[in-house]
């Protein structure tokens, strides 16, 4: 009996297992059908992605090929401009056209697309939704979108993209198959370092973004793309780290760039600066320019916001203070002690470029003001020209030599500098037009100006020096003091994107001012500058 009951229980258990297995198979089959539906829905969704946006009635693409060509002749300069090309071919019984600029087109990519399309059977008729088939099956490109807008099609063509048109369809495929003329990243001219990377920004925006991305592999690094200029349509990228940068600064910068209403900015970042920062007649730069990707990456990690303008090999850093403009990458490439020493030497050179000539002139004209330990200041002979005239002529002469060096071919720059500095200076002293002291102190001031990291700040300091010279000549001690005070107050009142220009001196921040005066070791540099108002203040984890 027990064995019969056992066999009966086994049969019941087996039947139950079979029912369970059958139920599992049914559930798996049901899940498979649901998965298949989901995949079909996903495929349909993917196929529908990139559909052209609806266009205004007067901005639609004509569905007939000849009418489409007429649109190109009227609005895109087809057959009037040699670089506007349309490659006409017939694939699968449908007439097609590739619209592109020959100056930007990437031949290898377009040739591969044409090769794939040539596989279509010329005897067979392609269905009416030809673009859908081309997009999913035959176009070997990474970035492909669709549009029904004629103006959008022409705008993308002018950027360098290619438009694929099929007769009978009122929309086109926009294929990213462009190649801009570009040079390789070279060492920056104005920010050279003895040790460190030798790559610098180029005139291509994508290359510049890639140089920064290579140094900051953070998924929170953002680059928002905008267009400026009704005619130039210049690409402008706003770069920042999302969880560090101040959202108000980003929003303010974005709004100002979007509010720019101008035909174009062919001079790139400088014109964009004047349209957004509104410097007016202020000679001091309110934006720091950098040609070094490592400097830009360092500022991004501190909470700064960058602006990269296409066709410009420099990047704007915002906000900017006066003390940001007098720092150089070389200081951070050396040990803290050597970096601090180099920083102080640079400070001395900048101060000399501003105050050395006015103070020497003040002591030379007023010997009673000269301390005893400065007995060597002054001139025994004043020359045939008044000292103030000599200073002004030397200032203009230095500017002329600088401009001549810029416009002189590189092989002749050395010879031109020798002729200008030795012959002109030596003859001017020997003939009695100038005194030796004027040439000496002007040379020291010029060296201090060239030692200023920011080229724009060096030129602004020269204007300040001229103003101090003229004020000292006209009003002696009172003129020097008043002019220096007015310039300092004016700098204190200046703001760069709502940031005090003379921070951390005014408003005073002892910790930040110490960081400006001394190149601290990296382990001690744990917090970000408060001027950026960052979301996260610390750069290094606590403990």
């Amino acid at each position: 009996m027990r064995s019969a009951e056992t066999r009966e229980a086994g049969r019941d258990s087996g039947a139950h297992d079979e029912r369970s297995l059958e139920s599992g198979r049914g559930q798996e089959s049901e899940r498979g059908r649901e998965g298949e539906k989901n995949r079909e829905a996903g495929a349909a969704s993917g196929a529908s992605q990139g559909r052209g946006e609806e266009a205004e009635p007067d901005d639609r693409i004509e569905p007939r090929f000849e009418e489409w060509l007429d649109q190109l002749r009227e609005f895109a300069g087809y057959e009037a401009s040699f670089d506007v090309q349309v490659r006409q071919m017939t694939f699968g019984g449908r007439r097609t056209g590739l619209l592109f600029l020959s100056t930007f087109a990437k031949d290898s990519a377009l040739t591969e697309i044409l090769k794939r399309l040539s596989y279509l059977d010329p005897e067979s008729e392609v269905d009416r939704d030809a673009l859908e088939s081309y997009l999913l099956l035959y176009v070997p490109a990474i970035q492909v979108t669709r549009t029904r807008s004629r103006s959008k099609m022409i705008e993308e063509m002018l950027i360098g993209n290619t438009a694929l048109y099929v007769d009978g369809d009122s929309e086109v495929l926009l294929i990213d198959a462009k190649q801009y003329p570009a040079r390789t990243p070279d060492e920056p001219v104005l920010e050279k370092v003895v040790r460190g990377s030798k790559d610098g920004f180029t005139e291509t925006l994508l290359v510049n973004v890639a140089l920064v991305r290579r140094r900051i592999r953070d998924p929170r690094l953002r680059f928002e793309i905008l267009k400026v200029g009704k005619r130039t349509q210049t690409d402008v990228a706003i770069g920042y780290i999302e969880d560090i940068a101040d959202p108000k600064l980003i929003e303010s910068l974005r709004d100002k760039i979007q509010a720019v209403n101008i035909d174009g900015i062919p001079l790139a970042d400088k014109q964009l600066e004047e349209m957004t920062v509104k410097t007016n007649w202020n000679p001091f730069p309110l934006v720091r320019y950098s040609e070094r990707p490592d400097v830009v990456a360092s500022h991004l990690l501190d909470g700064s916001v960058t602006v990269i303008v296409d066709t410009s090999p420099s990047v704007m850093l915002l906000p900017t203070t006066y003390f940001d403009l007098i720092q150089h990458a070389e200081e951070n490439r050396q040990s803290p002690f050597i970096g601090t020493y180099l920083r102080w030497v640079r400070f001395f050179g900048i101060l000399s470029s501003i105050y050395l000539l006015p103070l020497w002139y003040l002591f030379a004209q007023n010997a009673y003001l000269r301390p005893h330990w400065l007995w060597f200041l002054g001139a025994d002979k004043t020359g045939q020209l008044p000292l103030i005239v000599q200073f002004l002529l030397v200032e203009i002469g230095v500017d002329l030599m600088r401009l001549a060096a810029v416009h002189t071919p590189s092989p002749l720059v050395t010879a031109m500098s020798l002729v200008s500095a030795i012959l002109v200076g030596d003859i001017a002293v020997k003939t009695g037009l100038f005194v030796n002291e004027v040439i000496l102190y002007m040379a020291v001031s010029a060296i201090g100006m060239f030692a200023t990291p920011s080229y724009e700040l060096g030129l602004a300091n020269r204007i300040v020096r001229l103003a101090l010279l003229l004020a000292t000549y006209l009003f002696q001690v009172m003129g020097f003091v008043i002019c220096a005070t007015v310039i300092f107050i004016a700098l204190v009142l200046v703001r760069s994107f709502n940031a005090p220009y003379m921070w951390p001196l005014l408003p005073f921040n002892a910790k930040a001012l110490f960081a400006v005066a001394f190149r601290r070791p990296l382990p001690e540099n744990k917090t970000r500058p408060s001027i950026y108002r960052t979301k996260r203040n610390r750069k290094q984890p606590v403990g």
Side-chain angles (χ1 to χ4, degrees):
M1 287 294 293
R2 284 197 194 96
S3 59
E5 291 175 358
T6 303
R7 286 195 298 270
E8 186 67 23
R11 285 194 296 269
D12 292 342
S13 176
H16 180 270
D17 291 341
E18 289 180 0
R19 287 193 299 269
S20 299
L21 181 61
E22 190 67 26
S23 176
R25 289 173 179 172
Q27 291 177 359
E28 290 180 0
S29 177
E30 185 66 24
R31 285 195 297 268
R33 286 192 295 270
E34 291 179 359
E36 186 67 25
K37 292 179 181 179
N38 292 335
R39 285 193 293 271
E40 292 176 357
S45 176
S48 64
Q49 286 181 357
R51 290 189 180 276
E53 68 278 4
E54 293 297 330
E56 298 294 331
D58 58 347
D59 189 41
R60 293 176 181 172
I61 297 174
E62 292 293 340
R64 295 182 178 85
F65 196 90
E66 293 300 332
E67 295 179 358
W68 179 67
L69 292 179
D70 291 337
Q71 282 186 325
L72 299 182
R73 294 186 184 97
E74 181 179 359
F75 298 102
Y78 175 56
E79 295 181 348
S81 183
F82 78 94
D83 58 339
V84 179
Q85 299 286 331
V86 176
R87 180 67 167 95
Q88 302 182 33
M89 298 186 73
T90 301
F91 299 110
R94 302 290 294 277
R95 193 177 178 187
T96 63
L98 280 175
L99 171 65
F100 59 90
L101 285 179
S102 59
T103 50
F104 291 153
K106 192 173 183 179
D107 295 343
S108 59
L110 294 182
T111 301
E112 183 64 24
I113 292 174
L114 294 177
K115 185 188 300 183
R116 294 292 185 89
L117 294 178
S118 64
Y119 294 156
L120 293 173
D121 186 2
E123 302 299 331
S124 63
E125 287 288 336
V126 180
D127 60 354
R128 298 302 299 175
D129 198 5
L131 281 179
E132 193 77 31
S133 301
Y134 288 176
L135 175 64
L136 295 178
L137 303 176
Y138 297 108
V139 177
I142 297 177
Q143 298 182 16
V144 180
T145 57
R146 305 171 67 171
T147 184
R148 300 176 183 270
S149 170
R150 182 197 67 240
S151 59
K152 178 67 174 177
M153 174 188 66
I154 297 175
E155 176 185 335
E156 292 293 322
M157 182 267 294
L158 294 175
I159 292 175
N161 294 332
T162 299
L164 174 59
Y165 174 82
V166 180
D167 187 20
D169 285 297
S170 59
E171 58 183 352
V172 297
L173 292 183
L174 300 175
I175 306 169
D176 186 0
K178 58 179 177 290
Q179 185 175 14
Y180 289 145
R183 61 180 176 90
T184 58
D186 298 323
E187 184 178 8
V189 177
L190 297 178
E191 295 179 278
K192 294 183 178 180
V193 294
V194 178
R195 299 179 61 86
S197 61
K198 306 298 181 182
D199 57 344
F201 290 122
T202 69
E203 290 77 13
T204 306
L205 185 142
L206 293 179
V207 174
N208 296 341
V209 172
L211 290 174
V212 178
R213 283 280 188 186
R214 184 182 180 186
R215 288 167 169 81
I216 304 180
R217 300 175 182 179
D218 189 347
R220 291 172 290 272
L221 177 60
R222 302 287 183 262
F223 287 100
E224 298 182 12
I225 194 72
L226 302 172
K227 291 186 182 298
V228 177
K230 295 181 179 179
R231 296 185 182 274
T232 61
Q233 291 289 306
T234 305
D235 291 324
V236 177
I238 303 176
Y240 59 91
I241 300 180
E242 189 177 29
D243 61 336
I244 296 179
D246 181 14
K248 294 182 179 179
L249 174 61
I250 300 171
E251 183 180 0
S252 173
L253 180 59
R254 185 190 301 117
D255 292 342
K256 288 185 177 182
I257 293 178
Q258 291 176 341
V260 173
N261 186 11
I262 193 173
D263 278 351
I265 50 172
L267 300 183
D269 48 8
K270 184 57 184 176
Q271 290 183 326
L272 182 64
E273 174 197 347
E274 294 184 8
M275 293 298 295
T276 54
V277 183
K278 301 187 185 303
T279 57
N280 296 325
W281 292 96
N282 181 13
F284 286 90
L286 301 183
V287 169
R288 180 182 178 182
Y289 291 96
S290 179
E291 298 178 356
R292 299 188 59 87
D294 52 357
V295 172
V296 173
S298 176
H299 277 262
L300 284 171
L301 292 173
D302 281 340
S304 179
V305 178
T306 65
V307 178
I308 306 176
V309 183
D310 194 25
T311 72
S312 175
S314 56
V315 173
M316 291 191 292
L317 300 172
L318 298 170
T320 299
T321 67
Y322 186 91
F323 297 98
D324 287 332
L325 300 170
I326 60 178
Q327 297 186 22
H328 194 269
E330 180 66 24
E331 301 159 1
N332 296 303
R333 292 290 182 178
Q334 304 297 331
S335 64
F337 184 87
I338 299 300
T340 301
Y341 167 75
L342 295 176
R343 184 172 295 185
W344 277 95
V345 170
R346 182 173 291 109
F347 291 167
F348 174 77
I350 295 173
L351 292 176
S352 299
S353 68
I354 300 174
Y355 296 108
L356 182 61
L357 286 183
L359 285 175
W360 183 88
Y361 179 77
L362 181 63
F363 290 146
Q365 295 296 100
N366 303 273
Y368 65 92
L369 296 174
R370 183 175 58 201
H372 178 70
W373 57 277
L374 293 178
W375 57 270
F376 55 88
L377 293 181
D380 297 332
K381 298 179 181 179
T382 59
Q384 298 179 6
L385 298 175
L387 286 178
I388 186 64
V389 176
Q390 295 182 38
F391 279 126
L392 294 178
L393 289 178
V394 171
E395 288 276 6
I396 296 175
V398 171
D399 282 332
L400 285 175
M401 286 190 291
R402 180 178 58 83
L403 294 176
V406 172
H407 301 301
T408 302
S410 299
L412 302 178
V413 170
T414 303
M416 187 276 301
S417 301
L418 291 174
V419 170
S420 302
I422 297 177
L423 295 182
V424 176
D426 185 62
I427 292 174
V429 172
K430 288 184 177 179
T431 56
L433 293 177
F434 297 95
V435 296
N436 291 321
E437 288 83 355
V438 171
I439 302 297
L440 172 63
Y441 291 113
M442 185 63 223
V444 175
S445 298
I447 293 174
M449 186 194 75
F450 293 132
T452 306
S454 172
Y455 179 72
E456 295 81 7
L457 181 61
L459 295 178
N461 289 340
R462 167 165 289 192
I463 300 300
V464 172
R465 182 172 68 239
L466 286 173
L468 290 174
L469 268 174
L470 292 176
T472 304
Y473 167 72
L474 294 175
F475 305 105
Q476 302 300 317
V477 178
M478 188 64 66
F480 178 85
V481 174
I482 292 178
C483 183
T485 303
V486 169
I487 292 174
F488 180 76
I489 294 176
L491 290 177
V492 171
L493 297 177
V494 170
R495 302 182 74 84
S496 172
F497 276 87
N498 203 32
Y501 194 58
M502 292 303 293
W503 183 91
L505 185 60
L506 286 175
F508 183 74
N509 187 320
K511 185 177 181 180
L513 189 60
F514 181 84
V516 170
F518 298 92
R519 204 291 246 180
R520 295 186 298 174
L522 187 60
E524 298 180 6
N525 191 13
K526 298 181 179 180
T527 59
R528 296 183 173 90
S530 60
I531 190 68
Y532 296 126
R533 301 181 177 89
T534 57
K535 294 181 179 179
R536 297 185 179 183
N537 185 38
R538 294 189 63 86
K539 292 193 291 186
Q540 299 181 26
V542 179

